[in-house]
Amino acid sequence: MSRKSYPGEQVTVSFDGDLCRHAGRCVAGLPEVFDTGRRPWILPDAAEAGAVIAQVGRCPSGALRIEPRS
Ligand code: SF4
């Protein structure tokens, strides 16, 4: 398992690179949050939480996930 968490103030996004299909949908859809040229490449607070949740929901592979608040 290589799932990694990217905590934000409102939502925490996690990513599993083994599942990613590299379609780039997340980068194209919400580039302020998902930018593979940057580290960390996911900044969950860079857009409104609803937009982040919606974009994660469009990931075709299940690589991106919204993590429940602990
Ligand atoms: S949308 Fe999902 S499968 Fe596509 S590049 Fe992003 S993480 Fe990978």
Side-chain angles (χ1 to χ4, degrees), residues 1-4 13-23 25 55-67:
M1 266 302 267
S2 59
R3 184 164 289 276
K4 192 173 173 218
V13 176
S14 72
F15 171 71
D16 185 337
D18 292 341
L19 297 178
C20 176
R21 284 197 216 133
H22 305 293
R25 192 176 289 188
Q55 190 61 49
V56 166
R58 286 183 208 110
C59 172
S61 68
L64 290 176
R65 209 192 270 166
I66 298 292
E67 295 296 322

Side-chain angles (χ1 to χ4, degrees), residues 1-63:
M1 266 302 267
S2 59
R3 184 164 289 276
K4 192 173 173 218
S5 279
Y6 297 83
E9 289 290 325
Q10 299 179 81
V11 289
T12 290
V13 176
S14 72
F15 171 71
D16 185 337
D18 292 341
L19 297 178
C20 176
R21 284 197 216 133
H22 305 293
R25 192 176 289 188
C26 49
V27 176
L30 206 54
E32 56 271 48
V33 172
F34 303 98
D35 180 351
T36 50
R38 180 188 63 205
R39 289 294 177 269
W41 80 280
I42 301 174
L43 292 178
D45 293 331
E48 192 231 326
V52 176
I53 292 166
Q55 190 61 49
V56 166
R58 286 183 208 110
C59 172
S61 68

